[in-house]
């Protein structure tokens, strides 16, 4: 079982609130990723990082931001949550670019 | 840019039957990966194919990489209820791009 963790697992929050989704991995992977996935739908890459102090936007435009101050930690922040942000957010990491990705259990976000 | 198309989007299978899901890329890939996501779960890595024409088997699952390294298939024989879930292919060119997935349901 991969050592990648996400908290919270479930979050219900009101419109306009600031939220941070946590993602940590203990595998020492340089590469980390955030995906957004609606139920039963495809994965959309919204952010990725190839190492400390490196962050890039993914294929799907997102109002969220990320930071990578430590190798093991890759939090995602929404400054002002909206109902359109309701989705599942999956964090992943890999040993190298193009290598297999290990996914966390996900955070299911509901914005009312 | 690189695009990975996956068909069919949905596959309803009678228990015990075989089925195949296909993955096609607009560009030549250095490798292709397959993942399985159970309902309510997260994607889990199944296998990676690297060589042209490569075929790998995992019990009842057979994975194939095309000769041109632009397509791949996953064939499941004697489908069981444990095969339920969404199967994603992910093509690696300069980055990993996931297909939309094939969601499999099984009729007992």
């Amino acid at each position: 079982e991969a050592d990648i963790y996400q908290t919270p697992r479930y979050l219900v929050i009101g419109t306009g609130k600031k939220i941070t989704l946590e993602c940590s991995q203990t595998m020492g992977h340089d590469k980390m990723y955030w995906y957004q996935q609606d139920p039963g739908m495809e994965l959309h890459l919204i952010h990725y990082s190839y190492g400390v102090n490196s962050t890039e936007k993914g294929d799907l435009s997102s109002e969220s931001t990320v930071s990578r101050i430590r190798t093991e930690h890759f939090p995602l922040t929404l400054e002002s949550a909206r109902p359109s942000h309701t989705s599942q957010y999956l964090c992943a990491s890999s040993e190298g670019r193009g290598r297999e990705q290990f996914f966390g259990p996900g955070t299911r976000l509901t914005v009312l | 840019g690189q695009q990975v198309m996956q068909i069919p989007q949905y596959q309803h299978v009678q228990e015990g039957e075989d089925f195949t899901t296909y993955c096609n890329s607009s560009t030549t890939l250095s490798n292709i990966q397959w993942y399985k996501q159970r309902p309510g779960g997260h994607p889990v890595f199944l296998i990676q194919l690297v060589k042209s024409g490569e075929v790998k088997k995992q019990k009842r699952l057979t994975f194939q990489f095309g000769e041109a390294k632009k397509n791949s298939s996953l064939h499941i024989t004697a489908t069981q209820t444990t095969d339920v879930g969404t199967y994603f292919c992910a093509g690696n060119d300069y980055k990993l791009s996931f297909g939309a997935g094939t969601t499999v349901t099984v009729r007992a």
Side-chain angles (χ1 to χ4, degrees), chain A residues 1 9-10 35 37 40-43 45 50 58-59 88 90 97-106 108, chain B residues 9-10 31 33 35 37 39-45 48 86 88 92 94-101 103:
Chain A
E1 193 70 20
R9 293 291 310 278
Y10 302 90
Y35 293 88
Q37 183 184 39
M41 303 298 284
E42 62 190 290
L43 298 160
L45 180 68
Y50 286 158
D59 303 321
Q88 175 169 242
L90 289 159
R97 193 184 307 192
R99 298 287 298 272
E100 65 177 283
Q101 293 187 11
F102 296 90
F103 284 82
R108 293 186 187 275
Chain B
Q9 185 176 0
Y10 300 99
N31 64 63
Q33 300 171 11
Y35 294 76
Q37 184 176 20
H42 58 276
V44 175
F45 174 80
Q48 176 171 282
T86 300
F88 293 97
N92 185 31
Y94 62 95
K95 64 174 183 177
L96 201 64
S97 295
F98 281 84
T103 298

Short mmCIF file of all heavy atoms in Angstrom, two decimals, chain A residues 1 9-10 35 37 40-43 45 50 58-59 88 90 97-106 108, chain B residues 9-10 31 33 35 37 39-45 48 86 88 92 94-101 103:
data_model
loop_
_atom_site.label_atom_id
_atom_site.label_comp_id
_atom_site.label_asym_id
_atom_site.label_seq_id
_atom_site.Cartn_x
_atom_site.Cartn_y
_atom_site.Cartn_z
N GLU A 1 0.85 -1.19 0.00
CA GLU A 1 0.00 0.00 0.00
C GLU A 1 0.88 1.24 0.00
O GLU A 1 1.86 1.31 0.73
CB GLU A 1 -0.91 -0.01 1.22
CG GLU A 1 -2.04 1.01 1.16
CD GLU A 1 -3.11 0.66 0.13
OE1 GLU A 1 -3.20 -0.52 -0.27
OE2 GLU A 1 -3.83 1.55 -0.29
N ARG A 9 -10.89 13.74 4.42
CA ARG A 9 -11.44 12.83 3.42
C ARG A 9 -12.74 13.40 2.86
O ARG A 9 -13.04 13.23 1.68
CB ARG A 9 -11.70 11.46 4.03
CG ARG A 9 -10.43 10.71 4.42
CD ARG A 9 -9.63 10.28 3.19
NE ARG A 9 -10.45 9.60 2.22
CZ ARG A 9 -10.79 8.32 2.26
NH1 ARG A 9 -10.37 7.57 3.27
NH2 ARG A 9 -11.53 7.79 1.33
N TYR A 10 -13.50 14.04 3.71
CA TYR A 10 -14.76 14.66 3.29
C TYR A 10 -14.83 16.06 3.89
O TYR A 10 -14.43 16.26 5.04
CB TYR A 10 -15.97 13.84 3.78
CG TYR A 10 -15.96 12.41 3.31
CD1 TYR A 10 -15.36 11.41 4.06
CD2 TYR A 10 -16.56 12.06 2.10
CE1 TYR A 10 -15.34 10.11 3.61
CE2 TYR A 10 -16.54 10.74 1.65
CZ TYR A 10 -15.93 9.79 2.41
OH TYR A 10 -15.92 8.49 1.97
N TYR A 35 -5.27 16.14 -9.01
CA TYR A 35 -6.28 15.90 -10.03
C TYR A 35 -7.65 16.26 -9.46
O TYR A 35 -7.90 16.10 -8.27
CB TYR A 35 -6.31 14.42 -10.44
CG TYR A 35 -5.08 13.95 -11.16
CD1 TYR A 35 -3.98 13.45 -10.46
CD2 TYR A 35 -5.02 13.97 -12.55
CE1 TYR A 35 -2.85 13.00 -11.13
CE2 TYR A 35 -3.89 13.52 -13.23
CZ TYR A 35 -2.81 13.04 -12.50
OH TYR A 35 -1.70 12.60 -13.16
N GLN A 37 -11.67 15.23 -10.05
CA GLN A 37 -12.47 14.19 -10.70
C GLN A 37 -13.91 14.27 -10.20
O GLN A 37 -14.18 14.09 -9.01
CB GLN A 37 -11.90 12.80 -10.40
CG GLN A 37 -12.66 11.69 -11.10
CD GLN A 37 -12.16 10.30 -10.73
OE1 GLN A 37 -11.82 10.05 -9.57
NE2 GLN A 37 -12.10 9.40 -11.70
N GLY A 40 -17.54 9.37 -11.41
CA GLY A 40 -17.65 8.57 -12.62
C GLY A 40 -17.04 9.19 -13.86
O GLY A 40 -17.26 8.69 -14.97
N MET A 41 -16.28 10.24 -13.65
CA MET A 41 -15.73 10.95 -14.82
C MET A 41 -14.22 10.83 -14.87
O MET A 41 -13.60 10.16 -14.06
CB MET A 41 -16.16 12.42 -14.78
CG MET A 41 -17.65 12.65 -14.71
SD MET A 41 -18.51 11.99 -16.17
CE MET A 41 -18.07 13.25 -17.38
N GLU A 42 -13.63 11.48 -15.85
CA GLU A 42 -12.19 11.36 -16.06
C GLU A 42 -11.41 12.21 -15.06
O GLU A 42 -11.96 13.05 -14.38
CB GLU A 42 -11.84 11.78 -17.48
CG GLU A 42 -12.18 13.22 -17.81
CD GLU A 42 -12.04 13.47 -19.31
OE1 GLU A 42 -10.90 13.48 -19.80
OE2 GLU A 42 -13.06 13.68 -19.97
N LEU A 43 -10.11 11.95 -15.01
CA LEU A 43 -9.20 12.70 -14.15
C LEU A 43 -8.71 13.94 -14.88
O LEU A 43 -8.29 13.84 -16.04
CB LEU A 43 -8.00 11.82 -13.79
CG LEU A 43 -8.26 10.55 -13.01
CD1 LEU A 43 -7.10 9.59 -13.16
CD2 LEU A 43 -8.48 10.88 -11.55
N LEU A 45 -5.88 16.90 -14.58
CA LEU A 45 -4.71 17.41 -13.88
C LEU A 45 -4.84 18.91 -13.69
O LEU A 45 -5.00 19.66 -14.66
CB LEU A 45 -3.45 17.09 -14.69
CG LEU A 45 -2.13 17.54 -14.08
CD1 LEU A 45 -1.82 16.75 -12.82
CD2 LEU A 45 -1.00 17.38 -15.10
N TYR A 50 7.47 19.29 -9.66
CA TYR A 50 8.58 18.39 -9.91
C TYR A 50 9.64 18.48 -8.81
O TYR A 50 10.71 17.89 -8.94
CB TYR A 50 9.19 18.63 -11.28
CG TYR A 50 8.34 18.12 -12.42
CD1 TYR A 50 8.47 18.63 -13.71
CD2 TYR A 50 7.38 17.12 -12.22
CE1 TYR A 50 7.70 18.16 -14.76
CE2 TYR A 50 6.59 16.64 -13.25
CZ TYR A 50 6.76 17.16 -14.53
OH TYR A 50 5.99 16.70 -15.56
N GLY A 58 -1.83 22.64 -14.39
CA GLY A 58 -2.10 21.48 -15.22
C GLY A 58 -2.94 21.81 -16.42
O GLY A 58 -3.03 22.96 -16.85
N ASP A 59 -3.56 20.76 -16.97
CA ASP A 59 -4.33 20.91 -18.21
C ASP A 59 -5.66 21.63 -17.98
O ASP A 59 -6.15 22.32 -18.86
CB ASP A 59 -4.60 19.54 -18.82
CG ASP A 59 -3.32 18.80 -19.09
OD1 ASP A 59 -2.34 19.43 -19.52
OD2 ASP A 59 -3.28 17.57 -18.85
N GLN A 88 -14.26 15.72 -6.38
CA GLN A 88 -13.27 14.96 -5.64
C GLN A 88 -11.88 15.43 -6.08
O GLN A 88 -11.64 15.60 -7.28
CB GLN A 88 -13.39 13.47 -5.86
CG GLN A 88 -12.26 12.69 -5.17
CD GLN A 88 -12.46 11.19 -5.14
OE1 GLN A 88 -12.56 10.59 -4.08
NE2 GLN A 88 -12.52 10.57 -6.30
N LEU A 90 -7.91 14.49 -5.96
CA LEU A 90 -6.98 13.38 -5.76
C LEU A 90 -5.56 13.88 -5.86
O LEU A 90 -5.19 14.57 -6.81
CB LEU A 90 -7.20 12.29 -6.81
CG LEU A 90 -8.49 11.48 -6.67
CD1 LEU A 90 -8.85 10.83 -8.00
CD2 LEU A 90 -8.35 10.43 -5.60
N ARG A 97 9.26 11.49 -13.61
CA ARG A 97 8.29 11.88 -14.63
C ARG A 97 7.99 10.66 -15.50
O ARG A 97 8.88 10.00 -16.00
CB ARG A 97 8.87 12.99 -15.49
CG ARG A 97 7.85 13.67 -16.37
CD ARG A 97 8.46 14.70 -17.28
NE ARG A 97 9.29 15.68 -16.58
CZ ARG A 97 9.73 16.79 -17.15
NH1 ARG A 97 9.39 17.06 -18.39
NH2 ARG A 97 10.49 17.61 -16.48
N GLY A 98 6.70 10.35 -15.68
CA GLY A 98 6.32 9.21 -16.50
C GLY A 98 6.32 7.88 -15.76
O GLY A 98 5.94 6.86 -16.32
N ARG A 99 6.74 7.89 -14.51
CA ARG A 99 6.70 6.64 -13.72
C ARG A 99 5.30 6.45 -13.15
O ARG A 99 4.48 7.37 -13.16
CB ARG A 99 7.73 6.72 -12.60
CG ARG A 99 9.17 6.86 -13.08
CD ARG A 99 9.69 5.58 -13.67
NE ARG A 99 9.71 4.50 -12.70
CZ ARG A 99 10.74 4.27 -11.88
NH1 ARG A 99 11.80 5.04 -11.90
NH2 ARG A 99 10.69 3.26 -11.03
N GLU A 100 5.04 5.28 -12.60
CA GLU A 100 3.73 5.02 -12.05
C GLU A 100 3.40 6.03 -10.95
O GLU A 100 4.28 6.45 -10.20
CB GLU A 100 3.64 3.61 -11.48
CG GLU A 100 4.55 3.39 -10.29
CD GLU A 100 4.39 1.99 -9.71
OE1 GLU A 100 3.39 1.77 -9.01
OE2 GLU A 100 5.27 1.16 -9.96
N GLN A 101 2.13 6.40 -10.91
CA GLN A 101 1.69 7.36 -9.91
C GLN A 101 0.95 6.64 -8.79
O GLN A 101 0.14 5.75 -9.04
CB GLN A 101 0.80 8.42 -10.56
CG GLN A 101 1.57 9.31 -11.53
CD GLN A 101 0.76 10.47 -12.05
OE1 GLN A 101 -0.33 10.76 -11.56
NE2 GLN A 101 1.31 11.17 -13.04
N PHE A 102 1.23 7.06 -7.58
CA PHE A 102 0.54 6.54 -6.40
C PHE A 102 -0.45 7.60 -5.95
O PHE A 102 -0.08 8.73 -5.71
CB PHE A 102 1.54 6.26 -5.28
CG PHE A 102 2.52 5.18 -5.61
CD1 PHE A 102 3.73 5.48 -6.22
CD2 PHE A 102 2.24 3.86 -5.31
CE1 PHE A 102 4.63 4.49 -6.53
CE2 PHE A 102 3.14 2.85 -5.61
CZ PHE A 102 4.34 3.16 -6.23
N PHE A 103 -1.72 7.17 -5.84
CA PHE A 103 -2.78 8.10 -5.50
C PHE A 103 -3.14 8.02 -4.03
O PHE A 103 -3.15 6.93 -3.43
CB PHE A 103 -4.02 7.81 -6.34
CG PHE A 103 -3.91 8.28 -7.76
CD1 PHE A 103 -3.26 7.52 -8.71
CD2 PHE A 103 -4.48 9.49 -8.15
CE1 PHE A 103 -3.15 7.96 -10.03
CE2 PHE A 103 -4.39 9.93 -9.46
CZ PHE A 103 -3.72 9.17 -10.40
N GLY A 104 -3.49 9.18 -3.48
CA GLY A 104 -4.07 9.21 -2.15
C GLY A 104 -5.54 8.84 -2.22
O GLY A 104 -6.11 8.68 -3.30
N PRO A 105 -6.20 8.74 -1.06
CA PRO A 105 -7.61 8.32 -1.03
C PRO A 105 -8.58 9.38 -1.52
O PRO A 105 -9.74 9.08 -1.79
CB PRO A 105 -7.85 8.01 0.45
CG PRO A 105 -6.85 8.85 1.16
CD PRO A 105 -5.64 8.91 0.28
N GLY A 106 -8.12 10.63 -1.66
CA GLY A 106 -8.97 11.68 -2.17
C GLY A 106 -9.68 12.47 -1.09
O GLY A 106 -9.86 12.00 0.04
N ARG A 108 -13.31 14.49 -0.84
CA ARG A 108 -14.59 14.81 -1.49
C ARG A 108 -15.08 16.13 -0.92
O ARG A 108 -15.43 16.21 0.26
CB ARG A 108 -15.60 13.70 -1.25
CG ARG A 108 -15.24 12.42 -1.94
CD ARG A 108 -16.32 11.36 -1.80
NE ARG A 108 -15.87 10.09 -2.34
CZ ARG A 108 -15.95 9.74 -3.61
NH1 ARG A 108 -16.47 10.57 -4.48
NH2 ARG A 108 -15.50 8.58 -4.03
N GLN B 9 -16.73 3.98 -23.38
CA GLN B 9 -16.80 4.72 -22.12
C GLN B 9 -17.45 3.85 -21.04
O GLN B 9 -17.09 3.93 -19.87
CB GLN B 9 -17.62 5.99 -22.31
CG GLN B 9 -17.66 6.89 -21.07
CD GLN B 9 -18.40 8.18 -21.30
OE1 GLN B 9 -18.91 8.44 -22.40
NE2 GLN B 9 -18.48 9.02 -20.27
N TYR B 10 -18.41 3.02 -21.46
CA TYR B 10 -19.09 2.12 -20.54
C TYR B 10 -19.11 0.71 -21.13
O TYR B 10 -19.24 0.54 -22.34
CB TYR B 10 -20.53 2.57 -20.27
CG TYR B 10 -20.64 3.94 -19.65
CD1 TYR B 10 -20.92 5.06 -20.43
CD2 TYR B 10 -20.45 4.13 -18.29
CE1 TYR B 10 -20.99 6.32 -19.88
CE2 TYR B 10 -20.53 5.39 -17.71
CZ TYR B 10 -20.80 6.47 -18.52
OH TYR B 10 -20.88 7.73 -17.95
N ASN B 31 5.78 5.02 -23.10
CA ASN B 31 5.19 3.88 -22.40
C ASN B 31 3.72 4.16 -22.14
O ASN B 31 3.24 5.28 -22.36
CB ASN B 31 5.92 3.58 -21.08
CG ASN B 31 5.80 4.70 -20.06
OD1 ASN B 31 4.71 5.03 -19.60
ND2 ASN B 31 6.93 5.29 -19.70
N GLN B 33 0.50 3.19 -19.24
CA GLN B 33 0.16 2.61 -17.96
C GLN B 33 -1.34 2.37 -17.89
O GLN B 33 -2.12 3.06 -18.55
CB GLN B 33 0.59 3.55 -16.82
CG GLN B 33 2.09 3.84 -16.81
CD GLN B 33 2.46 4.94 -15.84
OE1 GLN B 33 1.66 5.37 -15.01
NE2 GLN B 33 3.70 5.40 -15.92
N TYR B 35 -4.53 1.79 -14.99
CA TYR B 35 -4.95 1.94 -13.61
C TYR B 35 -6.39 1.43 -13.47
O TYR B 35 -7.17 1.47 -14.41
CB TYR B 35 -4.91 3.41 -13.18
CG TYR B 35 -3.55 4.02 -13.12
CD1 TYR B 35 -2.88 4.39 -14.28
CD2 TYR B 35 -2.91 4.25 -11.90
CE1 TYR B 35 -1.61 4.96 -14.23
CE2 TYR B 35 -1.65 4.82 -11.84
CZ TYR B 35 -1.00 5.17 -13.00
OH TYR B 35 0.26 5.73 -12.95
N GLN B 37 -9.82 1.93 -10.90
CA GLN B 37 -10.43 2.68 -9.81
C GLN B 37 -11.75 1.99 -9.45
O GLN B 37 -12.69 1.96 -10.24
CB GLN B 37 -10.68 4.14 -10.22
CG GLN B 37 -11.24 5.01 -9.11
CD GLN B 37 -11.38 6.47 -9.53
OE1 GLN B 37 -11.43 6.79 -10.72
NE2 GLN B 37 -11.43 7.39 -8.57
N PRO B 39 -15.33 1.62 -7.47
CA PRO B 39 -16.34 2.63 -7.11
C PRO B 39 -16.06 3.22 -5.73
O PRO B 39 -15.88 2.49 -4.76
CB PRO B 39 -17.65 1.84 -7.13
CG PRO B 39 -17.40 0.73 -8.11
CD PRO B 39 -15.96 0.36 -7.92
N GLY B 40 -16.00 4.54 -5.65
CA GLY B 40 -15.73 5.21 -4.39
C GLY B 40 -14.27 5.23 -3.98
O GLY B 40 -13.93 5.75 -2.92
N GLY B 41 -13.40 4.67 -4.80
CA GLY B 41 -11.99 4.57 -4.45
C GLY B 41 -11.12 5.50 -5.26
O GLY B 41 -11.59 6.43 -5.90
N HIS B 42 -9.83 5.23 -5.23
CA HIS B 42 -8.87 6.02 -5.98
C HIS B 42 -8.16 5.13 -6.99
O HIS B 42 -8.12 3.91 -6.83
CB HIS B 42 -7.87 6.67 -5.03
CG HIS B 42 -7.12 5.68 -4.18
ND1 HIS B 42 -7.63 5.18 -3.01
CD2 HIS B 42 -5.91 5.09 -4.35
CE1 HIS B 42 -6.76 4.35 -2.49
NE2 HIS B 42 -5.71 4.27 -3.28
N PRO B 43 -7.60 5.73 -8.05
CA PRO B 43 -6.91 4.91 -9.05
C PRO B 43 -5.73 4.17 -8.45
O PRO B 43 -4.96 4.71 -7.66
CB PRO B 43 -6.45 5.94 -10.09
CG PRO B 43 -7.37 7.10 -9.91
CD PRO B 43 -7.64 7.14 -8.43
N VAL B 44 -5.58 2.91 -8.86
CA VAL B 44 -4.48 2.07 -8.42
C VAL B 44 -3.75 1.56 -9.65
O VAL B 44 -4.37 1.04 -10.58
CB VAL B 44 -4.98 0.90 -7.56
CG1 VAL B 44 -3.82 -0.04 -7.21
CG2 VAL B 44 -5.65 1.40 -6.30
N PHE B 45 -2.45 1.70 -9.64
CA PHE B 45 -1.61 1.28 -10.77
C PHE B 45 -1.72 -0.23 -10.97
O PHE B 45 -1.65 -1.02 -10.02
CB PHE B 45 -0.17 1.68 -10.48
CG PHE B 45 0.83 1.19 -11.48
CD1 PHE B 45 0.99 1.86 -12.68
CD2 PHE B 45 1.60 0.07 -11.23
CE1 PHE B 45 1.94 1.42 -13.61
CE2 PHE B 45 2.54 -0.37 -12.15
CZ PHE B 45 2.70 0.29 -13.34
N GLN B 48 2.62 -1.32 -16.45
CA GLN B 48 3.22 -0.42 -17.43
C GLN B 48 3.77 -1.23 -18.59
O GLN B 48 4.40 -2.28 -18.37
CB GLN B 48 4.35 0.39 -16.79
CG GLN B 48 5.09 1.29 -17.77
CD GLN B 48 6.04 2.24 -17.09
OE1 GLN B 48 5.64 3.26 -16.53
NE2 GLN B 48 7.32 1.92 -17.13
N THR B 86 -13.60 1.41 -12.88
CA THR B 86 -13.21 2.17 -14.05
C THR B 86 -11.74 1.92 -14.34
O THR B 86 -10.91 2.04 -13.45
CB THR B 86 -13.46 3.67 -13.86
OG1 THR B 86 -14.85 3.88 -13.61
CG2 THR B 86 -13.05 4.45 -15.10
N PHE B 88 -8.49 3.03 -16.40
CA PHE B 88 -7.89 4.16 -17.09
C PHE B 88 -6.57 3.73 -17.73
O PHE B 88 -5.76 3.05 -17.10
CB PHE B 88 -7.56 5.30 -16.12
CG PHE B 88 -8.75 5.98 -15.51
CD1 PHE B 88 -9.20 5.62 -14.25
CD2 PHE B 88 -9.41 6.99 -16.18
CE1 PHE B 88 -10.29 6.25 -13.67
CE2 PHE B 88 -10.50 7.64 -15.61
CZ PHE B 88 -10.94 7.26 -14.35
N ASN B 92 2.29 8.00 -21.80
CA ASN B 92 3.43 8.84 -21.43
C ASN B 92 4.20 9.26 -22.67
O ASN B 92 4.80 8.43 -23.34
CB ASN B 92 4.34 8.09 -20.46
CG ASN B 92 5.46 8.95 -19.96
OD1 ASN B 92 5.33 10.16 -19.83
ND2 ASN B 92 6.60 8.33 -19.69
N TYR B 94 5.74 13.26 -23.21
CA TYR B 94 6.60 14.09 -22.37
C TYR B 94 5.98 14.27 -20.99
O TYR B 94 6.59 14.77 -20.07
CB TYR B 94 6.85 15.45 -23.03
CG TYR B 94 5.60 16.27 -23.24
CD1 TYR B 94 5.19 17.23 -22.32
CD2 TYR B 94 4.81 16.07 -24.37
CE1 TYR B 94 4.05 17.95 -22.51
CE2 TYR B 94 3.66 16.80 -24.57
CZ TYR B 94 3.28 17.75 -23.65
OH TYR B 94 2.14 18.46 -23.84
N LYS B 95 4.72 13.82 -20.89
CA LYS B 95 4.03 13.82 -19.61
C LYS B 95 2.98 12.71 -19.66
O LYS B 95 2.68 12.17 -20.72
CB LYS B 95 3.37 15.16 -19.32
CG LYS B 95 2.26 15.53 -20.28
CD LYS B 95 1.54 16.79 -19.86
CE LYS B 95 0.39 17.06 -20.80
NZ LYS B 95 -0.41 18.23 -20.40
N LEU B 96 2.44 12.39 -18.51
CA LEU B 96 1.44 11.33 -18.45
C LEU B 96 0.05 11.92 -18.68
O LEU B 96 -0.34 12.85 -17.98
CB LEU B 96 1.51 10.67 -17.07
CG LEU B 96 0.94 9.25 -16.94
CD1 LEU B 96 1.72 8.28 -17.80
CD2 LEU B 96 0.98 8.81 -15.48
N SER B 97 -0.67 11.40 -19.66
CA SER B 97 -2.02 11.87 -19.96
C SER B 97 -3.01 10.72 -19.80
O SER B 97 -2.85 9.68 -20.44
CB SER B 97 -2.10 12.41 -21.39
OG SER B 97 -1.30 13.56 -21.55
N PHE B 98 -4.00 10.92 -18.97
CA PHE B 98 -4.98 9.88 -18.70
C PHE B 98 -6.10 9.92 -19.73
O PHE B 98 -6.57 11.00 -20.14
CB PHE B 98 -5.58 10.07 -17.31
CG PHE B 98 -4.70 9.58 -16.20
CD1 PHE B 98 -3.70 10.38 -15.69
CD2 PHE B 98 -4.87 8.31 -15.67
CE1 PHE B 98 -2.87 9.94 -14.66
CE2 PHE B 98 -4.06 7.85 -14.65
CZ PHE B 98 -3.05 8.66 -14.15
N GLY B 99 -6.56 8.72 -20.12
CA GLY B 99 -7.77 8.62 -20.91
C GLY B 99 -8.98 8.86 -20.02
O GLY B 99 -8.85 8.98 -18.80
N ALA B 100 -10.16 8.90 -20.65
CA ALA B 100 -11.39 9.19 -19.91
C ALA B 100 -11.88 8.00 -19.10
O ALA B 100 -12.75 8.14 -18.26
CB ALA B 100 -12.47 9.67 -20.86
N GLY B 101 -11.34 6.81 -19.38
CA GLY B 101 -11.70 5.63 -18.62
C GLY B 101 -12.82 4.82 -19.23
O GLY B 101 -13.65 5.35 -19.98
N THR B 103 -15.80 2.46 -17.76
CA THR B 103 -16.47 2.03 -16.53
C THR B 103 -17.16 0.71 -16.78
O THR B 103 -18.00 0.59 -17.68
CB THR B 103 -17.48 3.08 -16.08
OG1 THR B 103 -16.77 4.30 -15.79
CG2 THR B 103 -18.21 2.63 -14.82
#
